Amino acid sequence: MNNAADHRTIVALDFADRTEAEALVARLGDACGSYKIGLELLTAAGPGLVRELVGQGREVFLDLKLFEIPNSVAGAVRAAGALGASMVTVHSMGGTGIMAAAVGAAREFPRLKVLALTVVTSMTGGDLADIGIAASTDEQVLRLARLAAEAGCDGVTAAPGEAGALRALLGPERLIVTPGVTLPGGESGGHARAGTPWAAFAAGASHVVVGRSVTRAADPVAALRRIAAGG
Ligand code: C5P
């Protein structure tokens, strides 16, 4: 694995099967050092793909979006750590108990970072109201991020437009990982609060997650290099 690969840009392997995912990984080659595997691919392909990527020296963000009783969350985090994952997500809306369980379980895996999901990027204020939350999305994101920090999480995932306020709240060290970014010229892909990778980095994101803007580009390597080059 080329150490020069940009580890701040994480490519989302949102594929329905392992063959497609492996084809994209092969196509990106040394240009990409970090991948996100979510529930679709993990369920379809199994954990062997995670081991394979880790074995190749790549970092794997397992986007498990855990929301369970603390005992089950801890078990899933240990399983992610044993696979060699570098990042795993837990829902902060589940409260301090499940976040603390995730953080505790990750301690035996020093390279594994626990990220708290705040508000899923597709949710609007209306969606929050529907589930009985009167706060705006911005207020709710900050409230949950504060709770996540207090529970010991290494960082949060959040929309690009929230990165600045989160950086101010969380200080310089914590990870702020922003999905929901698009490259200009691409489709907005259903993100209610879309932004570019560069805006996210400038606002304080430590990492961005990019999916279709790279994986469906005519030239995925060029799209990825465009991000690393700053536009
Ligand atoms: O839209 P894109 O293909 O770049 O999505 C990449 C990742 O961003 C997805 O794996 C998903 O987890 C996340 N995402 C999100 N909110 C959305 C759409 C995608 O957090 N509305």
Side-chain angles (χ1 to χ4, degrees):
M1 197 56 233
N2 182 350
N3 289 332
D6 172 17
H7 287 269
R8 298 201 314 154
T9 301
I10 302 166
V11 172
L13 291 175
D14 291 328
F15 293 110
D17 67 65
R18 184 169 178 161
T19 308
E20 274 186 279
E22 287 177 332
L24 195 266
V25 170
R27 189 151 180 210
L28 291 180
D30 285 349
C32 182
S34 299
Y35 288 97
K36 180 170 89 73
I37 294 182
L39 298 175
E40 179 187 14
L41 186 59
L42 183 68
T43 305
L49 179 62
V50 180
R51 284 194 206 95
E52 179 186 315
L53 293 177
V54 171
Q56 292 168 355
R58 296 184 160 92
E59 292 183 11
V60 175
F61 169 6
L62 262 189
D63 196 8
L64 298 182
K65 295 183 160 67
L66 299 168
F67 199 145
E68 248 285 14
I69 60 167
N71 188 54
S72 299
V73 166
V77 168
R78 275 194 296 276
L83 283 175
S86 303
M87 295 176 178
V88 66
T89 41
V90 59
H91 267 285
S92 53
M93 277 206 204
T96 303
I98 72 163
M99 289 191 282
V103 170
R107 279 204 193 100
E108 56 182 288
F109 304 98
R111 60 178 292 184
L112 179 61
K113 306 293 184 198
V114 175
L115 304 176
L117 243 106
T118 57
V119 179
V120 178
T121 57
S122 58
M123 287 185 88
T124 64
D127 294 324
L128 289 181
D130 286 346
I131 58 168
I133 294 170
S136 68
T137 53
D138 288 353
E139 289 165 345
Q140 186 67 1
V141 164
L142 293 179
R143 171 195 292 263
L144 293 173
R146 198 174 296 116
L147 205 61
E150 286 165 7
C153 291
D154 298 290
V156 296
T157 66
E162 296 151 358
L166 284 168
R167 183 54 73 203
L169 175 76
L170 297 174
E173 300 299 328
R174 291 201 204 256
L175 304 179
I176 298 175
V177 179
T178 59
V181 294
T182 50
L183 291 173
E187 40 153 333
S188 79
H191 301 292
R193 290 169 281 143
T196 69
W198 314 295
F201 284 132
S206 58
H207 299 76
V208 296
V209 175
V210 61
R212 289 162 291 184
S213 289
V214 166
T215 61
R216 294 196 192 166
D219 184 343
V221 173
L224 193 55
R225 294 223 163 105
R226 195 174 152 210
I227 298 172

